[in-house]
Amino acid sequence: MFQDPIYNQKVNIPNSSIELVIKREDLIHPFVSGNKFRKLKYNIKQAKTTRLRPILTFGGAFSNHIAAVAFAGKEHGVPTIGIIRGEELGLKKHLNPTLQFAKLNGMQLKFVSRDDYKKKTHSEFLSLLKDEFGAFYMLPEGGTNNLAVKGCEEILQPIDYTYNYVCCAVGTGGTIAGLINASKEHQKILGFPALKGDFLQEDIRKFANRDNWKLITDYHFGGYGKIKPELISFINTFKKNHNIPLDPIYTGKMLFGIFDRIANGYFPENSKILAIHTGGLQGIAGMNEMLKRKKSPLIEV
Ligand SMILES: *Cc1c(COP(=O)(O)O)cnc(C)c1O
């Protein structure tokens, strides 16, 4: 489904003994998040072998997970259904770039109200979906489950054991759990949540089998999908300096946080940091549409 090996790219930090290297999981696919591919690998296999079709899952309007499921489903000949948060989206003439991509890849979209969306894990809601669509293979929002964590364990390779720190952005916690499980005891895994909330610690603990990890919660910029001009300007400068595009929802916030922590002396001298670029670049187009409406500076592409 994707090419291996994904390469590690060094990022120069002037006047510092710290080494920062980016694992370019974003190069797995131009539109689909690298970590979402990893999360889907064993789930698609499972859906196929149990002959449970279609795959049904949940997401917001800009969801990287929705885009990934649609694409992977098409590649593997498995039909997909996306339950999308916000019924107003279905009434619009033009779907946003994420949903357009999902639809083009054959995903059937069902738009539900925010209230209904909150009930998405309740058994009554799921049984209504079963009445409507028949039996399906259910993937939770964000795609995190045991098989997804197993897929994310393949991100870290033996050449990565030389790093003292492994950093990643955190949404539902599946990706960091895979990194934790694949890491060595001498490594510290740092997660940078893209959203507010204390529930993440517990969610990660459900899937992680050691405790060499920590969440750094200062860089969510106000919550999921929220941004600030300084974040946009950081993303644009980073691209100019290092020729690596970052997304505004996840990887931009993580790298902003890493640079801020480096500047503030959080990392000891000569630390070797590996930051996972999980992708998410498909989200830039939708974010820019919104920034344009607000007449704010755009993310340069
Ligand atoms: C979904 C996503 C994440 C978060 O992954 P979780 O496993 O949900 O924590 C990070 N980065 C990108 C680009 C994503 O699309």
Side-chain angles (χ1 to χ4, degrees), residues 134-224:
F136 49 76
Y137 184 87
M138 208 260 287
L139 274 176
E141 182 182 49
T144 290
N145 58 16
N146 280 314
L147 289 175
V149 172
K150 179 178 166 187
C152 290
E153 289 171 5
E154 295 172 1
I155 296 172
L156 270 197
Q157 299 293 317
I159 54 160
D160 302 323
Y161 298 153
T162 58
Y163 295 93
N164 315 108
Y165 295 93
V166 177
C167 300
C168 76
V170 177
T172 58
T175 306
I176 192 172
L179 292 170
I180 294 164
N181 294 349
S183 70
K184 295 287 176 194
E185 210 59 61
H186 68 86
Q187 299 184 293
K188 184 126 194 175
I189 316 301
L190 299 178
F192 292 77
L195 65 166
K196 281 195 239 177
D198 299 328
F199 51 90
L200 275 174
Q201 298 269 0
E202 230 171 280
D203 289 352
I204 295 167
R205 238 173 249 128
K206 268 187 244 162
F207 293 106
N209 58 24
R210 51 163 65 105
D211 51 17
N212 56 341
W213 58 278
K214 191 177 158 177
L215 294 183
I216 297 185
T217 55
D218 306 332
Y219 302 101
H220 56 64
F221 286 87
Y224 185 76

XYZ file of all heavy atoms in Angstrom, residues 134-224:
709
model
N -26.880 -2.150 6.766
C -26.533 -3.560 6.895
C -25.274 -3.720 7.735
O -24.797 -2.763 8.332
N -24.723 -4.955 7.769
C -23.535 -5.195 8.605
C -22.344 -4.415 8.060
O -22.216 -4.223 6.856
C -23.213 -6.685 8.625
N -21.493 -3.923 8.956
C -20.295 -3.200 8.507
C -19.132 -3.451 9.462
O -19.311 -3.931 10.574
C -20.569 -1.697 8.377
C -21.253 -1.075 9.580
C -20.555 -0.820 10.735
C -22.613 -0.752 9.523
C -21.175 -0.231 11.830
C -23.247 -0.164 10.619
C -22.518 0.094 11.777
N -17.946 -3.111 8.973
C -16.736 -3.137 9.800
C -16.565 -1.730 10.344
O -16.336 -0.794 9.592
C -15.527 -3.543 8.946
C -14.233 -3.695 9.723
C -13.906 -4.901 10.332
C -13.338 -2.641 9.832
C -12.721 -5.049 11.037
C -12.152 -2.781 10.535
C -11.851 -3.980 11.135
O -10.673 -4.125 11.835
N -16.688 -1.576 11.651
C -16.685 -0.244 12.237
C -15.301 0.186 12.672
O -14.599 -0.543 13.364
C -17.620 -0.228 13.446
C -18.207 1.127 13.714
S -17.400 2.030 15.016
C -17.972 1.149 16.444
N -14.929 1.370 12.220
C -13.686 1.980 12.693
C -14.063 3.223 13.479
O -14.861 4.031 13.014
C -12.824 2.406 11.505
C -11.890 1.388 10.879
C -11.209 2.002 9.667
C -10.854 0.929 11.887
N -13.467 3.401 14.658
C -13.825 4.590 15.439
C -13.287 5.867 14.795
O -12.451 5.818 13.895
C -13.163 4.335 16.792
C -12.078 3.359 16.525
C -12.514 2.546 15.345
N -13.753 6.993 15.259
C -13.243 8.301 14.822
C -11.720 8.326 15.010
O -11.206 7.899 16.039
C -13.876 9.388 15.690
C -13.464 10.784 15.319
C -14.101 11.806 16.249
O -14.028 11.637 17.483
O -14.681 12.762 15.741
N -11.010 8.807 14.001
C -9.547 8.842 14.107
C -8.897 7.507 13.831
O -7.673 7.427 13.678
N -9.704 6.427 13.795
C -9.187 5.130 13.381
C -8.385 4.366 14.414
O -7.751 3.358 14.097
N -8.399 4.812 15.668
C -7.556 4.144 16.667
C -8.237 2.914 17.271
O -9.335 3.004 17.815
C -7.158 5.127 17.787
O -6.245 6.082 17.244
C -6.477 4.417 18.946
N -7.578 1.776 17.129
C -7.958 0.529 17.803
C -6.687 -0.332 17.894
O -5.605 0.142 17.522
C -9.101 -0.189 17.053
C -8.740 -0.520 15.607
O -7.566 -0.498 15.222
N -9.740 -0.833 14.802
N -6.809 -1.554 18.372
C -5.609 -2.385 18.546
C -4.840 -2.602 17.254
O -3.614 -2.540 17.231
C -5.994 -3.751 19.143
C -6.198 -3.651 20.643
O -5.387 -3.062 21.335
N -7.305 -4.195 21.133
N -5.573 -2.857 16.175
C -4.894 -3.113 14.901
C -4.219 -1.850 14.374
O -3.166 -1.920 13.731
C -5.896 -3.649 13.873
C -6.395 -5.066 14.121
C -7.472 -5.440 13.099
C -5.256 -6.075 14.090
N -4.811 -0.694 14.667
C -4.194 0.575 14.238
C -2.880 0.807 14.981
O -1.875 1.215 14.386
C -5.152 1.735 14.495
N -2.885 0.505 16.271
C -1.660 0.672 17.061
C -0.579 -0.281 16.545
O 0.582 0.102 16.391
C -1.950 0.431 18.563
C -0.665 0.404 19.377
C -2.889 1.519 19.091
N -0.981 -1.509 16.214
C -0.032 -2.469 15.646
C 0.602 -1.911 14.363
O 1.814 -2.020 14.149
C -0.763 -3.785 15.350
C 0.106 -4.848 14.742
C -0.678 -6.141 14.513
C 0.109 -7.061 13.595
N -0.624 -8.248 13.194
N -0.210 -1.275 13.519
C 0.321 -0.679 12.292
C 1.305 0.448 12.597
O 2.335 0.578 11.934
N 0.989 1.249 13.604
C 1.862 2.388 13.947
C 3.165 1.934 14.602
O 4.137 2.686 14.624
C 1.125 3.372 14.848
S -0.186 4.265 13.976
N 3.183 0.713 15.136
C 4.446 0.199 15.685
C 5.492 0.040 14.589
O 6.685 -0.026 14.862
C 4.193 -1.147 16.400
C 3.424 -0.959 17.698
C 2.955 -2.263 18.334
O 3.311 -3.343 17.828
O 2.207 -2.178 19.329
N 5.059 -0.005 13.332
C 5.999 -0.180 12.221
C 6.647 1.140 11.782
O 7.516 1.145 10.917
C 5.284 -0.861 11.051
C 4.870 -2.275 11.418
C 3.972 -2.960 10.380
O 3.678 -2.347 9.348
O 3.575 -4.113 10.648
N 6.242 2.253 12.385
C 6.858 3.542 12.026
C 8.320 3.566 12.476
O 9.203 3.992 11.742
C 6.092 4.725 12.670
C 4.659 4.812 12.106
C 6.839 6.037 12.442
C 3.767 5.828 12.814
N 8.575 3.113 13.699
C 9.946 3.145 14.231
C 10.718 1.920 13.761
O 10.234 0.795 13.856
C 9.925 3.141 15.759
C 9.895 4.462 16.510
C 10.308 4.229 17.959
C 10.762 5.534 15.873
N 11.922 2.187 13.237
C 12.782 1.122 12.717
C 14.052 1.044 13.569
O 14.369 1.996 14.284
C 13.147 1.438 11.263
C 11.942 1.530 10.331
C 11.251 0.184 10.147
O 11.902 -0.843 9.987
N 9.926 0.194 10.201
N 14.790 -0.069 13.472
C 16.033 -0.184 14.258
C 16.987 1.010 14.098
O 17.626 1.409 15.074
C 16.660 -1.474 13.723
C 15.483 -2.310 13.335
C 14.454 -1.345 12.812
N 17.053 1.632 12.897
C 17.956 2.792 12.763
C 17.514 3.964 13.633
O 18.279 4.904 13.836
C 18.055 3.313 11.301
C 16.664 3.626 10.730
C 18.811 2.372 10.405
C 16.730 4.568 9.526
N 16.298 3.914 14.137
C 15.787 5.035 14.938
C 16.085 4.900 16.427
O 15.755 5.788 17.214
C 14.267 5.167 14.736
C 13.909 5.375 13.277
O 14.667 6.085 12.586
O 12.882 4.824 12.824
N 16.710 3.781 16.822
C 16.975 3.575 18.252
C 18.066 4.494 18.781
O 18.291 4.557 19.991
C 17.350 2.104 18.525
C 16.250 1.120 18.192
C 16.569 -0.195 17.834
C 14.909 1.487 18.253
C 15.571 -1.110 17.512
C 13.913 0.577 17.935
C 14.246 -0.721 17.568
O 13.265 -1.619 17.251
N 18.769 5.194 17.874
C 19.847 6.076 18.342
C 19.311 7.413 18.858
O 20.062 8.193 19.427
C 20.834 6.386 17.196
O 20.102 6.996 16.132
C 21.531 5.134 16.706
N 18.036 7.681 18.664
C 17.507 8.971 19.114
C 17.090 8.913 20.579
O 16.523 7.922 21.028
C 16.309 9.385 18.243
C 16.732 9.638 16.820
C 16.663 8.616 15.863
C 17.259 10.864 16.447
C 17.093 8.826 14.566
C 17.696 11.078 15.155
C 17.614 10.065 14.216
O 18.058 10.274 12.948
N 17.382 10.004 21.323
C 16.974 10.066 22.735
C 15.485 10.384 22.849
O 14.827 9.949 23.789
C 17.701 11.191 23.486
C 19.169 11.243 23.179
O 19.634 12.155 22.490
N 19.873 10.254 23.654
N 15.008 11.198 21.897
C 13.611 11.629 21.944
C 12.927 11.296 20.625
O 13.509 11.469 19.561
C 13.507 13.143 22.163
C 14.025 13.594 23.499
C 15.356 14.001 23.644
C 13.202 13.629 24.615
C 15.841 14.420 24.870
C 13.675 14.045 25.845
C 15.000 14.434 25.965
O 15.466 14.848 27.183
N 11.699 10.819 20.723
C 10.865 10.635 19.538
C 9.603 11.474 19.775
O 8.934 11.304 20.798
C 10.506 9.156 19.319
C 9.577 9.011 18.109
C 11.760 8.308 19.135
N 9.308 12.391 18.862
C 8.178 13.304 19.049
C 7.100 13.042 17.999
O 7.409 12.745 16.847
C 8.630 14.754 18.890
S 9.886 15.231 20.079
N 5.836 13.170 18.415
C 4.761 13.099 17.427
C 3.583 13.940 17.876
O 3.441 14.268 19.057
C 4.324 11.648 17.187
S 3.323 10.958 18.478
N 2.745 14.317 16.899
C 1.503 15.007 17.202
C 0.492 13.982 17.699
O 0.537 12.814 17.314
C 0.977 15.708 15.952
N -0.424 14.425 18.564
C -1.402 13.507 19.151
C -2.825 14.003 18.891
O -3.132 15.176 19.108
C -1.175 13.375 20.675
C -2.234 12.471 21.300
C 0.215 12.831 20.968
N -3.656 13.083 18.372
C -5.078 13.376 18.208
C -5.872 12.450 19.107
O -6.353 12.830 20.166
N -5.980 11.179 18.688
C -6.657 10.188 19.534
C -5.674 9.334 20.324
O -6.076 8.587 21.206
C -7.531 9.253 18.671
O -6.688 8.616 17.712
C -8.617 10.026 17.948
N -4.398 9.389 19.993
C -3.384 8.702 20.782
C -2.906 7.374 20.214
O -2.002 6.745 20.772
N -3.477 6.935 19.108
C -3.073 5.650 18.542
C -1.649 5.649 18.012
O -0.904 4.678 18.191
N -1.286 6.745 17.378
C 0.049 6.816 16.789
C 1.125 6.806 17.870
O 2.093 6.038 17.788
C 0.181 8.096 15.935
O -0.893 8.112 14.991
C 1.509 8.134 15.215
N 0.945 7.618 18.884
C 1.964 7.656 19.946
C 2.021 6.309 20.664
O 3.105 5.846 21.038
C 1.743 8.833 20.938
C 3.000 8.986 21.809
C 0.506 8.668 21.786
C 2.998 10.216 22.695
N 0.893 5.646 20.822
C 0.906 4.338 21.488
C 1.760 3.349 20.689
O 2.550 2.592 21.260
C -0.519 3.806 21.648
N 1.652 3.374 19.369
C 2.478 2.508 18.538
C 3.956 2.827 18.682
O 4.795 1.930 18.780
N 4.275 4.131 18.713
C 5.672 4.545 18.873
C 6.219 4.102 20.226
O 7.356 3.633 20.334
C 5.790 6.074 18.749
C 5.505 6.650 17.361
C 5.410 8.175 17.428
C 6.580 6.227 16.363
N 5.405 4.240 21.258
C 5.832 3.832 22.604
C 6.148 2.337 22.603
O 7.194 1.896 23.075
C 4.733 4.146 23.644
C 4.543 5.661 23.777
C 5.059 3.519 24.991
C 3.239 6.077 24.464
N 5.248 1.555 22.037
C 5.426 0.100 22.047
C 6.640 -0.336 21.251
O 7.250 -1.366 21.548
C 4.176 -0.593 21.501
C 2.975 -0.391 22.409
O 3.116 0.085 23.530
N 1.788 -0.733 21.923
N 6.990 0.454 20.225
C 8.120 0.075 19.374
C 9.436 0.680 19.856
O 10.490 0.364 19.322
C 7.847 0.530 17.938
N 9.375 1.532 20.869
C 10.583 2.243 21.302
C 11.436 1.367 22.217
O 11.016 0.303 22.655
C 10.193 3.524 22.044
O 9.613 3.196 23.302
N 12.642 1.853 22.511
C 13.521 1.203 23.479
C 13.443 1.961 24.799
O 13.137 3.157 24.823
C 14.957 1.190 22.954
C 15.132 0.346 21.699
C 15.049 -1.134 22.038
C 15.112 -1.975 20.786
N 14.703 -3.370 21.021
N 13.783 1.278 25.867
C 13.668 1.842 27.213
C 14.422 3.166 27.370
O 13.978 4.056 28.087
C 14.205 0.807 28.221
C 13.570 0.856 29.576
C 12.052 0.644 29.536
O 11.585 -0.437 29.090
O 11.353 1.590 29.951
N 15.554 3.312 26.677
C 16.369 4.535 26.849
C 15.794 5.731 26.088
O 16.296 6.844 26.205
C 17.802 4.282 26.381
C 17.921 4.077 24.894
N 18.043 5.128 24.009
C 17.880 2.954 24.135
C 18.097 4.655 22.779
N 17.991 3.343 22.826
N 14.735 5.501 25.315
C 14.156 6.595 24.546
C 12.970 7.200 25.285
O 12.264 6.510 26.017
C 13.685 6.089 23.178
C 14.820 5.534 22.342
C 14.359 5.121 20.950
O 13.589 4.175 20.813
N 14.844 5.836 19.943
N 12.767 8.503 25.052
C 11.589 9.151 25.627
C 10.675 9.582 24.475
O 11.110 10.217 23.528
C 12.025 10.370 26.436
C 10.893 11.037 27.135
C 11.173 11.187 28.607
C 9.910 11.547 29.355
N 10.109 11.595 30.788
N 9.411 9.215 24.579
C 8.450 9.565 23.531
C 7.646 10.776 24.008
O 7.000 10.719 25.062
C 7.483 8.389 23.231
C 8.226 7.051 23.154
C 6.695 8.654 21.956
C 9.308 6.979 22.120
N 7.696 11.848 23.234
C 6.980 13.074 23.596
C 5.812 13.292 22.641
O 5.990 13.327 21.425
C 7.918 14.285 23.524
C 9.137 14.277 24.444
C 9.976 15.532 24.215
C 8.721 14.172 25.909
N 4.628 13.444 23.201
C 3.442 13.702 22.388
C 3.007 15.147 22.516
O 3.011 15.712 23.609
N 2.640 15.740 21.391
C 2.160 17.123 21.367
C 0.684 17.117 20.950
O 0.385 17.044 19.752
C 2.993 17.954 20.380
C 4.422 18.153 20.820
C 5.351 17.130 20.689
C 4.826 19.356 21.363
C 6.666 17.308 21.105
C 6.136 19.550 21.782
C 7.052 18.523 21.654
N -0.237 17.148 21.919
C -1.660 17.090 21.579
C -2.094 18.290 20.724
O -1.709 19.422 20.994
C -2.358 17.112 22.932
C -1.343 16.561 23.881
C -0.026 17.076 23.367
N -2.909 18.001 19.714
C -3.447 19.028 18.825
C -4.771 19.563 19.351
O -5.426 20.349 18.691
C -3.643 18.436 17.430
N -5.151 19.110 20.526
C -6.433 19.516 21.103
C -6.312 19.624 22.610
O -5.339 19.136 23.198
C -7.532 18.525 20.706
C -7.436 17.100 21.228
C -8.745 16.379 21.025
C -6.320 16.312 20.576
N -7.313 20.284 23.212
C -7.346 20.394 24.666
C -7.987 19.143 25.248
O -8.789 18.506 24.605
C -8.227 21.583 25.064
C -7.550 22.931 24.935
C -8.378 23.960 25.695
C -8.826 25.059 24.763
N -9.675 26.057 25.373
N -7.682 18.836 26.480
C -8.398 17.738 27.133
C -7.483 16.814 27.892
O -6.371 16.534 27.467
N -7.969 16.331 29.019
C -7.157 15.484 29.888
C -7.369 13.998 29.648
O -6.681 13.164 30.215
C -7.483 15.790 31.356
C -7.180 17.232 31.698
O -6.224 17.767 31.090
O -7.890 17.822 32.527
N -8.348 13.685 28.784
C -8.702 12.278 28.574
C -7.603 11.509 27.840
O -7.540 10.295 27.902
C -9.987 12.196 27.749
C -9.925 13.033 26.500
C -9.458 12.505 25.310
C -10.277 14.376 26.538
C -9.367 13.287 24.181
C -10.189 15.171 25.402
C -9.732 14.631 24.226
N -6.700 12.261 27.169
C -5.719 11.591 26.304
C -4.792 10.648 27.061
O -4.486 9.559 26.583
C -4.886 12.634 25.561
C -5.507 13.151 24.275
C -4.672 14.273 23.690
C -5.640 12.018 23.257
N -4.327 11.086 28.239
C -3.413 10.248 29.027
C -3.976 8.836 29.164
O -3.281 7.851 28.939
C -3.271 10.814 30.450
C -2.694 12.196 30.517
C -1.180 12.194 30.657
O -0.559 11.133 30.710
N -0.597 13.369 30.694
N -5.252 8.793 29.527
C -5.880 7.499 29.795
C -6.048 6.684 28.517
O -5.823 5.483 28.505
C -7.252 7.741 30.424
C -7.471 6.957 31.676
C -8.743 7.405 32.338
O -8.708 8.465 33.018
O -9.762 6.726 32.140
N -6.438 7.396 27.439
C -6.608 6.708 26.156
C -5.296 6.075 25.710
O -5.276 4.962 25.184
C -7.088 7.698 25.082
C -8.532 8.125 25.319
O -9.179 7.535 26.210
O -9.008 9.029 24.619
N -4.201 6.799 25.907
C -2.898 6.271 25.482
C -2.509 5.077 26.340
O -2.011 4.064 25.838
C -1.824 7.382 25.544
C -2.149 8.473 24.516
C -0.422 6.816 25.302
C -1.350 9.751 24.686
N -2.771 5.182 27.633
C -2.405 4.094 28.543
C -3.099 2.780 28.178
O -2.552 1.705 28.420
C -2.748 4.493 29.981
C -1.523 4.442 30.874
C -1.777 4.976 32.263
N -1.069 6.224 32.465
C -1.623 7.347 32.899
N -2.900 7.386 33.188
N -0.901 8.430 33.041
N -4.290 2.892 27.588
C -5.032 1.688 27.182
C -4.253 0.865 26.163
O -4.398 -0.347 26.079
C -6.371 2.091 26.538
C -7.526 2.169 27.501
C -8.825 2.409 26.724
C -9.408 3.767 27.097
N -10.380 4.287 26.148
N -3.452 1.552 25.332
C -2.786 0.868 24.222
C -1.276 0.758 24.401
O -0.625 -0.004 23.703
C -3.055 1.614 22.909
C -4.494 1.566 22.468
C -5.310 2.674 22.570
C -5.034 0.388 21.946
C -6.638 2.630 22.156
C -6.365 0.338 21.529
C -7.161 1.466 21.639
N -0.708 1.544 25.300
C 0.754 1.596 25.426
C 1.229 0.592 26.466
O 0.598 0.442 27.513
C 1.190 2.997 25.824
N 2.345 -0.089 26.171
C 2.793 -1.106 27.120
C 4.049 -0.742 27.900
O 4.690 -1.597 28.488
C 2.930 -2.468 26.421
C 3.889 -2.418 25.254
O 4.766 -1.549 25.220
N 3.739 -3.318 24.299
N 4.456 0.539 27.872
C 5.463 1.011 28.807
C 5.228 2.488 29.108
O 4.316 3.082 28.561
C 6.882 0.736 28.284
C 7.184 1.197 26.880
C 8.678 1.237 26.660
N 9.284 -0.071 26.737
C 9.708 -0.752 25.675
N 9.577 -0.238 24.467
N 10.281 -1.915 25.817
N 6.040 3.037 30.030
C 5.707 4.408 30.453
C 6.845 5.409 30.218
O 6.967 6.388 30.943
C 5.236 4.433 31.906
C 6.190 3.709 32.815
O 7.338 3.480 32.370
O 5.818 3.392 33.953
N 7.609 5.198 29.170
C 8.673 6.140 28.814
C 8.139 7.255 27.908
O 8.714 7.558 26.874
C 9.821 5.405 28.112
C 9.346 4.642 26.892
O 8.147 4.363 26.769
N 10.244 4.314 25.987
N 7.025 7.856 28.289
C 6.409 8.866 27.429
C 5.795 9.988 28.256
O 5.568 9.841 29.458
C 5.326 8.253 26.541
C 4.217 7.555 27.279
C 4.246 6.277 27.782
C 2.931 8.086 27.619
N 3.050 5.990 28.398
C 2.228 7.077 28.308
C 2.301 9.306 27.391
C 0.922 7.263 28.788
C 0.997 9.494 27.861
C 0.319 8.471 28.552
N 5.528 11.074 27.563
C 5.001 12.256 28.228
C 4.252 13.115 27.216
O 4.643 13.149 26.045
C 6.186 13.047 28.783
C 5.799 14.142 29.703
C 7.032 14.821 30.256
C 6.578 16.193 30.691
N 7.595 16.976 31.301
N 3.196 13.765 27.654
C 2.493 14.701 26.779
C 2.926 16.126 27.113
O 3.008 16.493 28.292
C 0.975 14.579 26.944
C 0.340 13.260 26.498
C -1.179 13.328 26.654
C 0.719 12.915 25.060
N 3.205 16.908 26.088
C 3.522 18.327 26.264
C 2.311 19.100 25.747
O 2.038 19.124 24.550
C 4.809 18.687 25.517
C 5.955 17.897 26.145
C 5.056 20.188 25.564
C 7.322 18.203 25.617
N 1.572 19.684 26.677
C 0.213 20.136 26.348
C 0.105 21.644 26.082
O -0.988 22.190 26.063
C -0.755 19.763 27.495
O -0.233 20.319 28.707
C -0.867 18.267 27.659
N 1.236 22.302 25.861
C 1.216 23.775 25.734
C 1.061 24.280 24.311
O 1.144 25.481 24.070
C 2.530 24.365 26.285
C 2.805 23.903 27.688
O 1.829 23.606 28.399
O 3.984 23.810 28.064
N 0.872 23.411 23.351
C 0.948 23.864 21.957
C -0.282 23.478 21.135
O -0.176 23.169 19.962
C 2.240 23.338 21.314
C 3.473 23.788 22.069
C 4.126 22.933 22.949
C 3.952 25.092 21.934
C 5.236 23.353 23.667
C 5.061 25.526 22.651
C 5.694 24.650 23.514
O 6.787 25.078 24.234
N -1.463 23.507 21.761
C -2.678 23.186 20.982
C -3.279 24.432 20.330
O -4.226 24.334 19.553
C -3.712 22.458 21.842
C -4.089 23.205 23.077
N -4.731 24.417 23.053
C -3.882 22.910 24.383
C -4.920 24.841 24.285
N -4.408 23.961 25.121
N -2.745 25.617 20.661
C -3.200 26.874 20.036
C -4.702 27.104 20.194
O -5.349 27.606 19.282
C -2.797 26.926 18.558
C -1.321 27.176 18.371
C -0.422 26.119 18.368
C -0.841 28.466 18.213
C 0.946 26.342 18.216
C 0.518 28.704 18.056
C 1.421 27.648 18.063
N -5.256 26.689 21.304
C -6.661 26.986 21.576
C -7.589 25.811 21.335
O -8.755 25.852 21.691
N -7.098 24.741 20.727
C -7.939 23.553 20.565
C -7.817 22.965 19.174
O -7.061 23.458 18.335
N -8.591 21.924 18.939
C -8.504 21.188 17.672
C -8.897 22.079 16.494
O -9.976 22.695 16.501
C -9.405 19.951 17.717
C -9.241 19.117 16.478
C -8.120 18.309 16.325
C -10.166 19.165 15.453
C -7.940 17.571 15.175
C -9.994 18.426 14.306
C -8.873 17.628 14.179
O -8.686 16.914 13.033
